[in-house]
Amino acid sequence: MKITQVEAIPFAIPYRKPLVFASGEVHTAAHILVRVHTDDGLVGTAEAPPRPFTYGETQASIKEVVESIFAPAITGESPYDRELVHARMARTIANPTAKSAVDMALWDIIGQATGVSVTQLLGGFTDRMQVSHMLGFDEPEKMADEAERMLETFGISTFKVKVGRTPIELDVAVCRAIRERLGDRIELYIDGNRGWTASESARALRKMDDLDLSMAEELNPADDVLGRRWLVEQSTIPFVADESVSTPADVTREILGGSATMVSIKTARTGFTTSQRVHHLAESLGIEVVMGNQIDGQVGSLCSLAFGAAYQSTSRRAGELSNFLDMSDDLLATPLEISNGELLVRQAPGLGLDIDEDKLTRYRQDR
Amino acid sequence: MKITQVEAIPFAIPYRKPLVFASGEVHTAAHILVRVHTDDGLVGTAEAPPRPFTYGETQASIKEVVESIFAPAITGESPYDRELVHARMARTIANPTAKSAVDMALWDIIGQATGVSVTQLLGGFTDRMQVSHMLGFDEPEKMADEAERMLETFGISTFKVKVGRTPIELDVAVCRAIRERLGDRIELYIDGNRGWTASESARALRKMDDLDLSMAEELNPADDVLGRRWLVEQSTIPFVADESVSTPADVTREILGGSATMVSIKTARTGFTTSQRVHHLAESLGIEVVMGNQIDGQVGSLCSLAFGAAYQSTSRRAGELSNFLDMSDDLLATPLEISNGELLVRQAPGLGLDIDEDKLTRYRQDR
């Protein structure tokens, strides 16, 4: 089996409600759908979300690097030979979500060719993940309303609250409102997207010490090297590195450098092949992980779910798998459905992605 | 597909020439052949070599733990779900080669079920490995003779010399004799199997400074913690941890503790699933690896080859894949053949192991 063609299709689907956080905001899912074709007619699919504020990629940069550089470099190779494909793609630096979409599309092909789900190809620890929901900036009572609605509608009981605003009291009030509204029925953690300084972060953590937060993510910038170490050293809850660890080598540096005590794994930026490395590294270093969300659509969420369910440590915590709920529409013919706070792995070969071609035609931007 | 039965078959095949080294000697390959059966009639096969001087396992302990503990714990599960199977086996500590044989037999099944080689399932970087040959204790000229014969007969040009005897001059003379005989046509490295002290090792390295050794492995015990660090700190060639790193956590400890600068990966002790972890950890930490040999027969050597060819860093150096040459016979119907110093990955589903049932009947010890 050989790779014959690699497509990069830009599409845009509006959000019903924009997601606002310290490092940016997202109004439209303007992503790239990557499709890898083979000589025996199989098509592997994945999605690359451009996140200029995190990785520097744009929709145009992803389309160009996939079609002009990666496609000719890997056409003719076997979809099984991911290590060879990655060595070819590694000649071009950066471009993490573009590389990851190609990688995940290859795994989708391998699963289809072998009749096995990607979760089982990866390790098959379980068939489901609990879902964590992300709450973007808003008024305290509105955010508590949303959390309550998520708990009642979908059974979601883990919430990641976006923080990082100043004065810090804005976000402290939000966390307190949510905890007061929902009590110990929920798990609550925070993500600063580098919006605070080290001292603001330390003050905020002290002010929320009674709220039983389970994790704190990227409260201040990792490039504030000493301030970050000082903050992590004093934190009594795990400090999650996310956008500061986009490669395995970054994980090594930040964890050994004392800049974090946990890592977020995002298949959107490390695909399946490199996410395996991050997972295996984290496990070998003895640190915990959480499956993160790159503000993925349903295609990307299905990829995170497929990976997260494959391993014990990735499925132990709720994964951030619900951002798609705020999109006005999506590309899957069979939409993802969260119930009892869980998403089930699709029992289909590969990723089980059934793209609705009519919707793709409606939302694609290149025709 | 479900696991229905797990067999552990003891067998013994004499060596033509015993292999002697600092921590022991091997006269007979008295191993366990592990066979995992499934409800659709597939049979996965791998071999567990008891190495009491390294892991504390015996032929009897492997047979017992596989048949009495692992078999009931995993029967009924899917062979794809390695992470679940490993979680079950992990309830029993130690027993690395027993666990690894079960793991590799599962991958063999997955390969057969999907029609894909294990090398491609793992990553498919290349289809071959260069072979390194291990030279056990003997007189300098005899060891140089063996190296020369290996170079002329099989094209093998990388040699690992067992050292660790006292006085150290015995081994220095061997290395010098081999280098003088074969010059710069060969790569030469040494393995002390913890036979020397730190100061003996340092003296020996200085005396061999002109011999262009490429690596030094386990010259002194890792449990001589400070002596080992002192030695590794001053070594100008990579210092390989082997028997001191039988788990990923050990790799983390020994590398971060400054007790080694490289690791040996042996599928006999970490199978494929945990060898992936060791490989990914080593790559993420930025250290080099070498594929080692647990004095494997052809079954075990084929497993090392299958893994080593899957990745760039494991296939970059010659792998230790030739110990089987000294066995008087073996179990494969189609024997491994080294030519031009290389072994080729079998282009067959799974591991491509074709056990000669007549030979198994002849060598098995339980009937």
Side-chain angles (χ1 to χ4, degrees), chain A residues 47-70:
Chain A
E47 142 182 90
R51 295 292 170 254
F53 40 80
T54 312
Y55 309 116
E57 294 170 283
T58 61
Q59 216 182 9
S61 79
I62 294 170
K63 182 171 168 58
E64 180 73 9
V65 79
V66 169
E67 292 185 339
S68 304
I69 303 185
F70 299 158

Side-chain angles (χ1 to χ4, degrees), chain A residues 15-22 24-28 51 53 133-137 146 160 162 193 293-296 323 326:
Chain A
Y15 269 81
R16 274 197 299 265
K17 167 173 176 274
L19 185 68
V20 186
F21 44 99
E25 49 187 271
V26 171
H27 295 262
T28 304
R51 295 292 170 254
F53 40 80
H133 184 69
M134 192 182 293
L135 299 163
F137 293 165
E146 185 180 345
K160 165 162 161 168
K162 291 290 194 181
N193 290 111
N293 194 305
Q294 203 65 62
I295 321 175
D296 300 303
N323 276 139
D326 287 328

Side-chain angles (χ1 to χ4, degrees), chain A residues 232-272:
Chain A
V232 170
E233 174 78 25
Q234 69 181 258
S235 176
T236 58
I237 57 176
F239 197 100
V240 183
D242 174 23
E243 54 264 43
S244 60
V245 291
S246 58
T247 68
D250 283 341
V251 174
T252 298
R253 285 185 193 99
E254 297 303 310
I255 295 294
L256 298 189
S259 295
T261 45
M262 258 185 80
V263 296
S264 174
I265 297 179
K266 288 183 175 170
T267 53
R269 72 167 165 239
T270 43
F272 298 136

